[in-house]
Amino acid sequence: MSSSVVTSGLTKRFGQRLAVDSVDIDLPAGVVSGFVGPNGAGKTTTIQLLLGLCHPTAGTGEVLGRPITDPASYLGRVGALIEAPSFYPTLSGRRNLEVLTRLGRIDSGRISEVLAMVELSDRANDFVRAYSLGMKQRLGVAAALLPDPELCILDEPTNGLDPAGIREMRAVIRGLADRGISVFVSSHLLAEIEAVCDHLVMIDKGRIVFQGGVEGLIDAQQSDIIATPEHPADAAALVALCVAAGRPARVEGDQVHVQAPEEWAPELNRQAMAAGITLRGLTVRRASLEEAFFAITENEPEQSGEDA
Amino acid sequence: MLGAYSSEWVKLRRRAMLLWGLGGGLFFALIATIFTIERAVKNPTLFPLRRGRISFFELEQPTGLVHGVTDISTLIGIVALCLFAGAFATEYSQGTMRNLLVREPRRIQLLSGKFLALVTFIGLAVVLEIVVACAVAFILAPGRGITTSAWTSSTGINDLLQATLHVFLASVGYGMLGAAAGVLLRSPGVAIGAAVAYVVAIEGIVVGAIWSNGDRWLPGQLFSALAHGGTSDSSYHHSLVTVAVYVVLIAAGTLAVFRRRDA
């Protein structure tokens, strides 16, 4: 699979602060790639480097096969929403997009098309200052779609959105991928990324801590088997049984949480039955992306205090 | 650059820009013309000329038509300075500069196109101000008994065109200073405040208290001299050449900073 973005040792330092530290990224083309990490991890700075908005201190990168030192050679095929959506408040949504179509020599007919895509056609002639945050976010996505991009970079597109707005934004992002557009979407809300992404890049303190398929990451994490004995009094015996089998377990309420892969669930059922414990419930809880993130970052060595 | 030029015009057509950019200069031009004509003194031997007043004789010269406007050319220049500083700094403070740079990453083209659009806007504003000032002057002058025949002579028309050019060139100089402040300081309030304070107060203090010859070399003083077609201290030719050098230097510095700095 070809790559939409490749970086090698990409580094950005602001004075003494190392915001992005030797970042190596390889994003497959044609899929939704998530870029996750806590606030201040270096997501926005990395995106700004990819868009030519700031200059790298060290390292190299390519976007759509062109070097990031020559953003004019690829930005015509890239759409971007950077941090909070920024527009001219005393211009209408349509006029705001006209500023960008004129600047980028984009066919003005695209304005109506992208406004329809983000369902803003009926408010297109209102001043942006009258828009809700959700509408501004959608206008930001519309602006990103103006050049009919091959790659769409969205920085925190669900910031400030209500649950309905977040769901709409997910649908928009999936819609882009369905049309074959590579999407690189950053967020500090991991559950949101988990819902929409195929590929994942995790960043913490300016360094990449994981990149690869979302499923692969979650599968690599330890899952929990949750067993519920018919009689709560059997919980302690069930824990002892698991520990004896080399599976750490603990009681939570009337349930027993066992750290074991999904495949061990039938064995647990058999052993419980052999020990005279009847189970009225046996489920497997897979690790969430958030748990996977913390599992990875907790294992990372501490970096020097100057990091972002 | 044409894309940046065309794009800027969408913003320049905003009501607020028309109100402050065109309306501001128009207001000053109108007031200056009315005051100049209404306060002109017919016989200065009987009524000595006080500050800001001129005689009928001066007004009846070919240059009399735009006397008021050239007198307040510094104010027109300050309007241009504020317009340019605001136009550049607001892109940073609003966060829209990043959007612009994604669509036009060639920074020199972006800055040049934006600047040229603002220069065109200021040019149109100056022409409009002069046209309105002339119309008002022609309406008011007969009522006060001021003869206007010299205004429509070939010399008068030539003087009018030259005055328009001088006020325009001076406004471009003020605008360049404003653009530099906007790009360097990135905040409209700070950029406008600093640039206006420099032109209005700091240069005045420098010339008055430190460097009396500064009115021949400091940019704000030279913009003002150029607007008047030269002064006794700074000839037209000296003002024009020095202002051109300043504009080139300020433009080069601003472009260099804009190109190198992270957005």
Side-chain angles (χ1 to χ4, degrees), chain A residues 12 53 75 78 83 86 88, chain B residues 6 91 98-99 103 262-263:
Chain A
K12 180 65 182 178
L53 296 174
L75 282 182
V78 174
E83 283 189 301
S86 305
Y88 306 99
Chain B
S6 163
E91 300 284 10
R98 289 173 180 167
N99 298 346
R103 290 281 62 91
D262 294 334

Side-chain angles (χ1 to χ4, degrees), chain A residues 12 14 48 52-55 72 75 78 82-83 86-91 95 99 102-106 147, chain B residues 2-4 6-7 10-11 14 91 94-96 98-105 107 110 259-260 262-263:
Chain A
K12 180 65 182 178
F14 296 106
Q48 289 180 339
L53 296 174
C54 59
H55 308 288
L75 282 182
V78 174
I82 312 141
E83 283 189 301
S86 305
F87 295 104
Y88 306 99
T90 53
L91 283 179
R95 288 276 180 231
V99 169
R102 288 187 179 208
L103 186 60
R105 304 293 189 90
I106 298 165
Chain B
L2 278 177
S6 163
S7 161
V10 179
K11 292 172 257 175
R14 277 179 293 181
E91 300 284 10
Q94 273 179 175
T96 43
R98 289 173 180 167
N99 298 346
L100 300 182
L101 283 169
V102 169
R103 290 281 62 91
E104 178 48 282
R107 296 184 177 205
L110 175 62
R259 197 174 172 194
R260 288 177 58 88
D262 294 334

